[in-house]
């Protein structure tokens, strides 16, 4: 989670700091409005995290939370908006760290921020990545994907968005023929593309993949980690 100025650091410290610090945080936030932004669309993994955390913040700090979903470009739009927000401690962003770091590292067009100049408050979650395929994808294993003469179609919102970057790494490491289809508007657009068969799948976190029920036809075929994901014990690992 990122915030504009050090005063927002109290947002996290209020939950674990001594009583005096908690009192100061409540005094600062009491009766105010906090803009809590995340990448992705309503109902997605980031949105679920944001609203879960937000409920605790409202209760502990007496602040009114304004949830904002800023989809598109793998979080670049959300980060750019944070960059120009008023430095009053009332703008907080929940975002995927890998994608934002990669965007700046590779000097992607549209990067108008410097992650070294932001205030990093906390790591909310560290999740394993999994390969999630849509119901119309013909593949049942990574082996089938590697053996395919046709390119595997991966969905993403940008070139370094946490979907396409991990898909690209997986494809390069295994020699898999792949094509990245980018430009989707957040989770909703990519999920629809998977449901209609426009793409085969995406690489997402195990927690996000777990939001899809078995009746959706979505399936996890592998976990990109050394250990199997507890949510998908039958999916083998590839590291």
């Amino acid at each position: 989670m990122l915030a504009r100025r050090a005063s927002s650091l109290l947002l996290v410290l209020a939950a674990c700091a001594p009583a005096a610090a908690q009192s100061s945080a409540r005094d600062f936030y009491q009766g105010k409005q906090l803009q809590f932004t995340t990448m992705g669309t309503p109902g997605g993994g980031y949105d679920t995290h944001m609203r879960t955390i937000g409920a605790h913040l409202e209760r502990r700090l007496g602040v009114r939370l304004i949830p904002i979903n800023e989809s598109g470009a793998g979080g670049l739009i959300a980060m750019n908006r944070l960059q120009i927000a008023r430095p009053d401690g009332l703008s907080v962003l929940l975002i995927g760290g890998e994608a934002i770091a990669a965007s700046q590292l590779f000097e992607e067009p549209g990067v108008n921020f410097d992650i070294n100049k932001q205030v990093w408050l906390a790591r909310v979650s560290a999740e394993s990545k999994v390969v999630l395929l849509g119901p119309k994808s013909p593949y049942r294993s990574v082996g089938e994907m590697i053996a395919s003469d046709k390119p595997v179609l991966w969905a993403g919102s940008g070139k370094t968005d946490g979907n396409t970057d991990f898909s690209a790494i997986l494809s390069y490491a295994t020699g898999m023929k792949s094509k990245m289809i980018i430009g989707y508007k957040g989770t909703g657009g990519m999920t629809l593309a998977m449901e209609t068969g426009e793409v085969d799948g995406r690489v997402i976190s195990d927690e996000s993949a777990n939001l899809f029920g078995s009746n959706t036809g979505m399936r996890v075929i592998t976990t990109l980690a050394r250990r199997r994901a507890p949510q998908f014990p039958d999916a083998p690992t590839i590291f």
Side-chain angles (χ1 to χ4, degrees), residues 15-135:
C16 58
Q22 293 190 28
S23 178
S24 298
R26 283 194 294 268
D27 291 343
F28 176 80
Y29 286 106
Q30 188 71 38
K32 293 183 180 178
Q33 294 183 339
L34 176 68
Q35 288 193 338
F36 198 164
T37 304
T38 192
M39 58 191 290
T41 52
Y46 287 101
D47 180 71
T48 301
H49 270 100
M50 175 182 67
R51 295 177 188 276
T52 301
I53 296 168
H56 291 284
L57 296 181
E58 286 187 322
R59 184 172 64 252
R60 296 298 291 268
L61 301 177
V63 69
R64 181 189 175 192
L65 194 76
I66 302 177
I68 301 173
N69 295 88
E70 193 70 83
S71 61
L76 291 186
I77 297 176
M79 273 295 291
N80 286 334
R81 285 191 183 276
L82 184 70
Q83 186 75 15
I84 62 175
R86 292 183 61 186
D88 54 8
L90 297 175
S91 296
V92 178
L93 172 65
L94 177 68
I95 200 163
E98 305 109 325
I100 291 302
S103 297
Q104 183 171 330
L105 180 65
F106 295 116
E107 300 180 346
E108 288 291 324
V111 173
N112 299 321
F113 54 82
D114 184 350
I115 60 174
N116 297 304
K117 296 181 179 179
Q118 301 296 329
V119 179
W120 295 76
L121 296 181
R123 173 188 285 180
V124 174
S125 178
E127 307 159 330
S128 296
K129 300 292 184 178
V130 299
V131 173
L132 179 71
L133 297 183

Side-chain angles (χ1 to χ4, degrees), residues 130-177:
V130 299
V131 173
L132 179 71
L133 297 183
K136 295 188 177 182
S137 175
Y139 306 111
R140 293 294 181 272
S141 68
V142 173
E144 289 184 9
M145 298 166 80
I146 295 173
S148 175
D149 291 330
K150 297 181 179 179
V152 178
L153 303 180
W154 301 95
S157 58
K159 293 182 179 179
T160 53
D161 66 349
N163 289 278
T164 51
D165 48 5
F166 279 95
S167 302
I169 292 170
L170 171 65
S171 302
Y172 180 82
T174 61
M176 181 188 305
K177 297 183 182 69

